[in-house]
Amino acid sequence: MTLSKNIAVIGGGSWATAIVKMLSENLETIHWYMRSEYAIEHIKRNDHNPNYLSSVEFKNNQLHLSSDINEIVSAADICIFAIPSAFVYSELESLEVSLENKIIFSAIKGIVPETGLIVGEHFHDHYNIPFENIGVITGPCHAEEVALERLSYLTIACADEEKAQHLATCLNSDYINCKISDDIIGTEYAAMLKNIYAIAAGIAHGLGYGDNFQSVLMSNAIREMKRFIKKVHKMKRNINDSAYLGDLLVTGYSVFSRNRLFGNMLGKGYTVRSAQLEMSMIAEGYYATKSAYKINEDKGARTPILNAVYSILYDNKNPKKVFKKLADKLD
Amino acid sequence: MTLSKNIAVIGGGSWATAIVKMLSENLETIHWYMRSEYAIEHIKRNDHNPNYLSSVEFKNNQLHLSSDINEIVSAADICIFAIPSAFVYSELESLEVSLENKIIFSAIKGIVPETGLIVGEHFHDHYNIPFENIGVITGPCHAEEVALERLSYLTIACADEEKAQHLATCLNSDYINCKISDDIIGTEYAAMLKNIYAIAAGIAHGLGYGDNFQSVLMSNAIREMKRFIKKVHKMKRNINDSAYLGDLLVTGYSVFSRNRLFGNMLGKGYTVRSAQLEMSMIAEGYYATKSAYKINEDKGARTPILNAVYSILYDNKNPKKVFKKLADKLD
């Protein structure tokens, strides 16, 4: 079976822009939906996204741009969703075109807040898409480094390996190295959990803990991630593969991570609300923490770091006291 | 059995100074050997080490200082060695006191270049010390953060757990959290290997690879470390424990690591010799690379990162070309 190269990217942020750049190395046309008419006009006139990764130059004859999500989804056989998980639900409400015969890849890290589901499950449950037509694109990958064409590795997960391999081929280039995986559930949960651990790393930093503690926190986090994912979806996986550990590290050690920044502000004494106002956005890990905590109420994995972050974000506990207790549970 | 609290620290560098500080929270007297008469006189007059961690204030009535290694070793029942592995052999040549009835802890990360052995094996083979009297103190721990009393975790490994627990008790404090382990060989190899991976991280950085690549490199490094240590000493261990993964991370991600700095200079185009001259010292990982490579010629673990670093350090291969090939082997 030859799979289609009619690919749409849904989203106008930095990660969506990076994915369009990767695809533009291989495809003649990329269908690209973004909400902002202004950004679309800017790209058409100036060959770059005015808001994100603006150093990346596109060739306009490669792009089919529209602010009409139905037009873009109709044009494509494969849709890559790269919008913040908090907007997935509302963006999809305007979708009239059926997704049932499409292949869906999620490049979204997190939980759909309205349903408490990871994105793959959301598509499966709410749009009747079979799991073999749902895939995940995961890092470790900062979009900014894709813009700079710095060598980066992606993991493309799909229950149907042929589809994963197909998308990998469309994304691979001199600076992109895609690996495939059949662990769609595990990689998606890892991508979600890492944002929670990045908040934890930020809180620790804000509280004045040093690099020694951070390394212990991260080595506990990967063990916690392993326990959590095993409870949710047991299969043979090496948690030290790049899609799990690498993704955790690139986020946990990045000073650019919004989740880490959010945690850092909490550690420095901001309230949750004031940190969110100051950042003028809500970090993905904020929702992920609640969802993961709720999921784990059923699953019962030992998750001291998740519990600590949850109690700070949702129970107004004092970060200093919570981390003092957490520190005793780490090893 | 009540174990002795007559403890000597052998070495005058930053890690030795940090260990003396930790012990001074719990012991009445610490026997402390260092080569430099000048430093000893300075500590006696000014209560701090002039060369390392000079913000740390000691109480002189707690310290038994001497530049005579025989005097200090004689006074103690437990000797903690914290000198660079490159000087272990020569320092010990001046030792006339027998070590046979002592308990030896190594806080040295590396290989004794003259014998190609990890330090525990060196003491066992050359000083007839039974393995149950040999232990290892390992991180993840920057000495600088101990000076700042930032919460840090150590792992104390000894085949005889009671001895590990005893030393842990002598080192624990508000800011030090010791865990014990019976994996003396594995923790020692991990402490050695992490310096090689820190050189690799530095080379990558010097060559212009970004954070995305670093996270992939580190997640490959921990898997390589697991394969290597398993070949050398097979036992049940969780490679994501702090003593292995945490120690790798604190070194690999530290801009202060001398091994990482050394690698960075190689990546930027310095020759091995000129980088060493510029640093006016030889990074531990330089010797560790050769030893680990030789050991692995017998053991046959798959070690693409070690091999890449070896070929740059010892075969004068071009770092850029070597890392381009290495990148294809990572996932």
Side-chain angles (χ1 to χ4, degrees):
Chain A
M1 180 170 81
T2 306
L3 286 161
S4 163
K5 292 199 170 176
N6 263 330
I7 300 182
V9 176
I10 314 298
S14 58
W15 192 216
T17 306
I19 291 170
V20 173
K21 176 179 163 64
M22 296 180 224
L23 292 171
S24 73
E25 307 286 352
N26 296 303
L27 303 185
E28 279 182 30
T29 305
I30 301 116
H31 310 284
W32 189 2
Y33 161 78
M34 63 181 73
R35 255 193 309 190
S36 164
E37 288 279 2
Y38 162 75
I40 289 174
E41 287 311 310
H42 189 99
I43 296 172
K44 284 184 177 168
R45 260 197 305 273
N46 304 294
D47 300 324
H48 67 261
N49 187 333
N51 304 316
Y52 299 98
L53 308 188
S54 50
S55 68
V56 174
E57 282 206 20
F58 292 103
K59 292 191 191 102
N60 262 296
N61 57 13
Q62 260 185 309
L63 301 181
H64 165 207
L65 277 156
S66 172
S67 64
D68 176 352
I69 192 168
N70 289 297
E71 177 187 337
I72 295 298
V73 170
S74 298
D77 301 304
I78 299 174
C79 296
I80 300 174
F81 285 83
I83 42 184
S85 59
F87 303 130
V88 167
Y89 195 86
S90 57
E91 281 283 8
L92 288 175
E93 279 191 321
S94 50
L95 197 67
E96 289 154 11
V97 184
S98 166
L99 289 173
E100 282 192 43
N101 293 314
K102 313 276 182 192
I103 298 169
I104 303 295
F105 278 92
S106 164
I108 299 162
K109 284 135 201 204
I111 285 274
V112 180
E114 289 86 348
T115 62
L117 297 172
I118 52 173
V119 178
E121 290 171 337
H122 180 77
F123 278 111
H124 179 263
D125 288 8
H126 290 253
Y127 295 89
N128 293 318
I129 301 170
F131 273 121
E132 67 263 27
N133 283 350
I134 298 175
V136 170
I137 302 173
T138 185
C141 198
H142 287 305
E144 290 72 13
E145 293 197 344
V146 174
L148 296 167
E149 301 190 0
R150 283 187 166 168
L151 182 62
S152 302
Y153 294 65
L154 297 177
T155 295
I156 316 296
C158 185
D160 180 344
E161 288 208 359
E162 193 190 355
K163 286 166 192 154
Q165 189 54 59
H166 174 67
L167 191 67
T169 308
C170 296
L171 291 165
N172 271 334
S173 65
D174 281 355
Y175 55 90
I176 299 293
N177 198 331
C178 290
K179 184 185 171 180
I180 67 168
S181 159
D182 58 355
D183 184 18
I184 163 169
I185 306 282
T187 51
E188 234 189 313
Y189 273 104
M192 175 190 104
L193 290 167
K194 67 140 201 259
N195 288 331
I196 303 168
Y197 301 131
I199 293 178
I203 295 171
H205 187 258
L207 287 169
Y209 289 88
D211 294 348
N212 292 350
F213 182 80
Q214 289 289 2
S215 71
V216 171
L217 184 64
M218 286 299 113
S219 70
N220 278 270
I222 193 69
R223 284 175 274 152
E224 181 171 311
M225 182 188 275
K226 186 178 179 176
R227 291 192 298 269
F228 185 104
I229 298 179
K230 194 176 166 187
K231 289 273 187 188
V232 174
H233 181 56
K234 193 169 177 174
M235 67 174 278
K236 196 170 151 55
R237 64 172 69 84
N238 186 343
I239 202 73
N240 289 332
D241 280 350
S242 297
Y244 315 96
L245 177 63
D247 209 15
L248 172 66
L249 295 180
V250 85
T251 309
Y253 276 100
S254 169
V255 290
F256 301 109
S257 158
R258 291 166 302 191
N259 292 293
R260 198 174 187 282
L261 175 63
F262 175 57
N264 190 39
M265 292 170 84
L266 300 179
K268 289 205 181 299
Y270 282 73
T271 62
V272 171
R273 199 57 54 204
S274 61
Q276 287 171 341
L277 285 172
E278 185 79 20
M279 290 177 71
S280 70
M281 60 168 300
I282 296 181
E284 295 263 5
Y286 176 74
Y287 299 114
T289 300
K290 187 167 189 175
S291 303
Y293 186 84
K294 295 293 173 203
I295 291 165
N296 199 44
E297 283 184 334
D298 288 341
K299 303 292 180 188
R302 194 170 66 80
T303 55
I305 305 173
L306 166 62
N307 300 358
V309 174
Y310 180 85
S311 72
I312 292 167
L313 298 189
Y314 292 98
D315 288 338
N316 284 312
K317 297 285 188 210
N318 179 306
K320 192 173 172 183
K321 287 184 187 164
V322 170
F323 264 65
K324 203 162 158 38
K325 275 192 201 158
L326 173 63
D328 289 335
K329 293 179 191 153
L330 304 181
D331 59 19
Chain B
M1 180 171 82
T2 307
L3 286 161
S4 163
K5 292 199 169 175
N6 263 331
I7 301 183
V9 176
I10 314 298
S14 59
W15 192 217
T17 305
I19 291 170
V20 173
K21 175 178 163 65
M22 296 180 224
L23 292 171
S24 72
E25 307 286 353
N26 296 304
L27 303 185
E28 281 181 27
T29 305
I30 301 113
H31 310 285
W32 189 3
Y33 161 78
M34 62 181 73
R35 256 193 308 190
S36 164
E37 287 280 2
Y38 161 75
I40 289 174
E41 287 311 311
H42 188 99
I43 296 171
K44 284 184 177 166
R45 261 198 303 274
N46 304 296
D47 300 325
H48 67 260
N49 187 334
N51 304 316
Y52 299 98
L53 307 189
S54 49
S55 68
V56 174
E57 282 206 21
F58 293 104
K59 291 190 192 102
N60 261 296
N61 57 12
Q62 261 185 308
L63 301 179
H64 165 208
L65 278 155
S66 173
S67 64
D68 178 352
I69 193 169
N70 289 296
E71 177 188 333
I72 295 297
V73 170
S74 298
D77 301 305
I78 299 173
C79 296
I80 299 173
F81 285 83
I83 44 183
S85 59
F87 303 128
V88 167
Y89 195 85
S90 58
E91 281 283 7
L92 289 174
E93 280 192 321
S94 50
L95 196 67
E96 288 154 10
V97 185
S98 167
L99 290 174
E100 281 192 41
N101 293 314
K102 313 276 183 194
I103 298 169
I104 304 295
F105 278 93
S106 164
I108 300 162
K109 283 134 201 205
I111 286 275
V112 180
E114 290 86 346
T115 62
L117 297 173
I118 52 173
V119 178
E121 290 172 337
H122 181 77
F123 277 110
H124 179 262
D125 288 10
H126 289 254
Y127 295 89
N128 292 318
I129 301 171
F131 273 121
E132 66 265 26
N133 284 347
I134 298 175
V136 170
I137 302 173
T138 186
C141 199
H142 287 305
E144 290 72 14
E145 293 198 345
V146 174
L148 296 168
E149 301 189 0
R150 283 190 167 164
L151 182 61
S152 302
Y153 293 65
L154 297 176
T155 296
I156 316 296
C158 185
D160 180 344
E161 288 208 358
E162 192 189 356
K163 286 165 191 154
Q165 189 54 59
H166 173 67
L167 191 68
T169 308
C170 296
L171 292 166
N172 272 334
S173 65
D174 282 354
Y175 55 90
I176 299 293
N177 197 333
C178 290
K179 184 185 170 180
I180 66 167
S181 158
D182 58 354
D183 184 18
I184 163 170
I185 306 282
T187 52
E188 234 188 312
Y189 273 104
M192 175 190 103
L193 290 168
K194 67 144 200 253
N195 288 331
I196 302 168
Y197 300 131
I199 293 178
I203 295 172
H205 187 258
L207 287 169
Y209 290 88
D211 293 349
N212 292 349
F213 182 80
Q214 289 289 2
S215 71
V216 171
L217 185 64
M218 286 299 112
S219 71
N220 277 269
I222 193 68
R223 284 176 273 154
E224 180 171 313
M225 182 187 275
K226 185 177 180 177
R227 291 192 297 269
F228 185 104
I229 298 179
K230 193 176 167 187
K231 289 273 187 188
V232 173
H233 180 56
K234 192 170 178 174
M235 67 174 279
K236 196 171 152 55
R237 65 173 67 85
N238 186 343
I239 203 73
N240 289 332
D241 280 348
S242 298
Y244 314 95
L245 176 62
D247 210 15
L248 172 66
L249 295 181
V250 85
T251 309
Y253 276 100
S254 169
V255 291
F256 302 110
S257 157
R258 291 167 303 192
N259 292 294
R260 198 174 189 281
L261 175 64
F262 175 58
N264 191 37
M265 292 171 84
L266 300 179
K268 289 205 180 297
Y270 282 71
T271 63
V272 172
R273 200 55 57 202
S274 60
Q276 288 170 341
L277 285 171
E278 186 78 20
M279 289 177 69
S280 69
M281 60 167 301
I282 295 181
E284 295 264 6
Y286 176 74
Y287 298 114
T289 301
K290 188 168 190 174
S291 302
Y293 186 84
K294 295 293 174 203
I295 290 164
N296 198 44
E297 283 184 334
D298 288 342
K299 303 293 178 187
R302 193 170 66 80
T303 56
I305 305 173
L306 166 62
N307 300 358
V309 175
Y310 180 86
S311 73
I312 292 166
L313 297 188
Y314 293 97
D315 288 339
N316 284 313
K317 297 286 189 213
N318 178 306
K320 190 171 171 184
K321 287 184 187 163
V322 170
F323 265 65
K324 201 163 159 42
K325 275 191 202 158
L326 173 63
D328 289 334
K329 293 178 191 153
L330 303 182
D331 59 20

